[in-house]
Amino acid sequence: MKYLTIIQARSSSSRLPRKSLMPIAGIPLAHLCAIRAKNDFSRLIVATSNDASDDDLAEMLLEAGVEVFRGSLTNVLSRFIDIVDSHMLADEDSIIRLTGDNPIVDGEFLEMLKTAWEKLGLDYLSGQPVDMSNSNWPYGLSAEFVKVGLLRDGYLRDKSDSNLEHVTTYARVNAKNKAFGDQVTNLTFRKKYFLTIDTAEDYKRVSEVFEKNLPSASFSLILDSVEG
């Protein structure tokens, strides 16, 4: 079974435009996410759009040595399908979906999920609880594992805006064997922290957290810093 990590990122966020290029610990956000998500078991690609608004983002990543794919701005799922097809992945291969506004995710967290993914023989795994509103799980500590065949099936069967934009809507509902982060890890948190970046306030908060740590620090060390 092959693994492929795909980070979706764009520059045209309505709440915080060009956030993917904003520096955290001196590194543009999308590049930082790629650095931290790198692991030994999976190839990594950043999937952005072929819109002119993402030219600077693509150029920055390529200059940094990060593999980039460019596709539809609005049909994000089609970017994923084009990538898996171009890499000739089989239905039993696995995609790890990440977003370019969650820099806390790292290889340690992905290894933890991969262990559960393989042990349980899952078709879909979310790195978050089912019900985030009733959990102290940090916003931003998020990743999804999905079988390529299930992703392809969703692309053929579900043309809703939600599935095309959020990529895994169909897979999350229709997977026969699925699990969620609080079910497959022993992670506990004393209170809820918001470590995703959607607004200028988020950016300031997360920047301060990372300034206390090296950008390559493990997610657990960063959470210790936040909670301390």
Side-chain angles (χ1 to χ4, degrees), residues 8 75-78 80 95 97 144 146 150-151 154-155 161-172:
Q8 63 184 73
N75 188 342
V76 184
L77 178 53
S78 72
F80 282 69
I95 293 298
R97 174 183 174 257
E144 291 177 297
V146 60
L150 183 58
L151 201 67
Y155 187 60
D161 289 344
S162 175
N163 196 48
L164 299 183
E165 178 182 357
H166 300 296
V167 179
T168 58
T169 301
Y170 176 91
R172 183 183 179 103

Side-chain angles (χ1 to χ4, degrees), residues 203-220:
Y203 172 71
K204 179 181 178 181
R205 180 177 56 254
V206 175
S207 294
E208 290 172 351
V209 170
F210 272 86
E211 284 170 4
K212 299 176 183 177
N213 304 270
L214 293 173
S216 58
S218 69
F219 83 93
S220 55

Side-chain angles (χ1 to χ4, degrees), residues 99-116:
T99 58
D101 50 10
N102 291 333
I104 191 173
V105 175
D106 70 353
E108 176 188 346
F109 180 62
L110 296 179
E111 284 276 7
M112 188 181 302
L113 296 181
K114 175 178 177 282
T115 298

